[in-house]
Amino acid sequence: MSSHRTMTLHKKSLLPLIMGLSFSASSVAQITCPADFTQVDFSFTGTVDTFVIPADTDTIFARASGAGGGSSPNAAVGMGGVVEGTFSVTAGDTLQIIVGGAGSQGSSNDGDAAGGGGGGASMIALGTDLASANALLIAGGGGGAGGAAGATGGDGGIPGEQTVLSNTVAGTAGGSAGGNGGAGDLDPMVDGEAGAAGGAEGEGGFGTLCASAGAGLNSDGEAVDGNSTPAVALLNGADGSSNFLFINSQGGFGGGGAPTGCGGGGGGFAGGGAGGAGDLLPDTLGGAGGGGSLNMGMNPNNPSPSISADSDGLVELCYNTVQAPPPPPPPTALAVPTFNPAGLVLLVLALMGVTAWRWPKAD
């Protein structure tokens, strides 16, 4: 886990905008800020960060991108979700920033491929204390891949969309709720275990005997396999799940679940469900569900998930600086005459001279 923090501050040139702010939809998340806004980016560090709203700032544009799930030697993976919006703020407000880390890649063990860890969620919340902060944006992490061909993890969520149950080996994408994990083998009632359900809004997902689930905003992801710790809820610090068997298959920081062979659930507003196990010779291990997402912004935009496999998330902010109007000029002071004794003497002498010249003289 990296401890290096990358934060950049820079002005962006004003590009032609349609309806105000234009956002990039490329595979690498990138905000385009207006010329009079300043950008600050937060990359994955494995810690919770804070940002204090600068003086003379009343508006921010923000984008959160969840981390991609971990891949496995035999399967693809779920991508991290992306959410963005506009928020009114007050100078001095504190933002709590979580950037999700990618789920670890699965490895081979005794010929059986381990699944990938769940991707961590990225979050921006308003408040001086993380535990009581109000979430503004949460981008769900991608579900980890199962350790078998075709056991793809589900993508991070798009707010407002519904997840669907599936008995295939692939995990489903999150919506506002977490995505469901894929089943082990094609017939989970005979040869394998069904995938677990994703969590309801704000809650962690459900685990299986093969993997643990992703955490939600308020509660941990479930770990029932006996081989991994639960992924920690976002408001409790968002630590990823640790795994005791396959050390390369950890859940990403930000709430991703860690598998023991199946895919680990992606973290998010709601955690993704874990993938199901195969039979006694598990040649098919289910992919995990993607984490759910949340967008409380004005003019919200929810692009398609774009953070690819094994890639960390990102948080980007654009903030304005409101120019205070210039102070009014001071009122013009009225001229007050001052007493000058010398001037008064001259005035009196002049008047006496005029009077003597005009006065009639006696014969």
Side-chain angles (χ1 to χ4, degrees):
M1 178 178 294
S2 170
S3 61
H4 176 67
R5 180 176 184 274
T6 300
M7 184 177 76
T8 59
L9 287 165
H10 51 275
K11 296 280 187 177
K12 289 292 187 74
S13 60
L14 183 62
L15 300 178
L17 300 180
I18 299 176
M19 298 178 64
L21 182 68
S22 173
F23 291 96
S24 168
S26 66
S27 60
V28 177
Q30 183 178 5
I31 279 181
T32 299
C33 297
D36 57 345
F37 278 59
T38 300
Q39 180 171 343
V40 55
D41 295 342
F42 295 85
S43 60
F44 167 68
T45 64
T47 59
V48 180
D49 215 329
T50 59
F51 179 75
V52 178
I53 301 299
D56 300 324
T57 294
D58 64 4
T59 302
I60 63 170
F61 301 116
R63 170 183 279 204
S65 302
S71 61
S72 75
N74 300 321
V77 69
M79 295 188 294
V82 180
V83 287
E84 54 198 21
T86 307
F87 301 89
S88 295
V89 293
T90 301
D93 285 347
T94 298
L95 300 180
Q96 303 286 334
I97 308 292
I98 289 175
V99 180
S104 297
Q105 294 182 359
S107 61
S108 295
N109 183 18
D110 296 330
D112 293 326
S122 293
M123 180 179 77
I124 303 171
L126 177 64
T128 56
D129 180 61
L130 177 64
S132 59
N134 294 317
L136 304 180
L137 293 175
I138 301 176
T152 305
D155 293 336
I158 296 177
E161 292 194 356
Q162 300 293 319
T163 59
V164 294
L165 293 174
S166 173
N167 285 332
T168 67
V169 296
T172 59
S176 295
N180 301 294
D185 291 331
L186 295 179
D187 188 351
M189 302 302 296
V190 177
D191 295 325
E193 178 186 20
E201 295 181 8
E203 305 301 322
F206 292 90
T208 64
L209 295 176
C210 182
S212 63
L217 176 66
N218 302 307
S219 64
D220 297 345
E222 186 179 44
V224 297
D225 55 42
N227 296 307
S228 57
T229 62
V232 178
L234 297 178
L235 293 183
N236 289 333
D239 198 8
S241 176
S242 298
N243 184 272
F244 306 137
L245 295 182
F246 299 141
I247 60 174
N248 291 329
S249 297
Q250 309 301 315
F253 178 83
T260 60
C262 309
F269 175 46
D279 53 24
L280 295 178
L281 297 175
D283 54 351
T284 304
L285 301 169
S293 296
L294 174 74
N295 192 336
M296 300 298 292
M298 299 179 289
N299 302 317
N301 187 33
N302 306 307
S304 298
S306 62
I307 302 299
S308 59
D310 312 319
S311 296
D312 296 331
L314 183 65
V315 166
E316 302 159 281
L317 301 176
C318 298
Y319 64 89
N320 69 336
T321 300
V322 179
Q323 299 296 327
T332 303
L334 296 176
V336 178
T338 58
F339 178 70
N340 188 331
L344 180 59
V345 171
L346 292 175
L347 177 61
V348 171
L349 292 175
L351 291 174
M352 291 176 64
V354 171
T355 302
W357 175 73
R358 293 176 60 87
W359 196 263
K361 295 180 181 181
D363 294 333

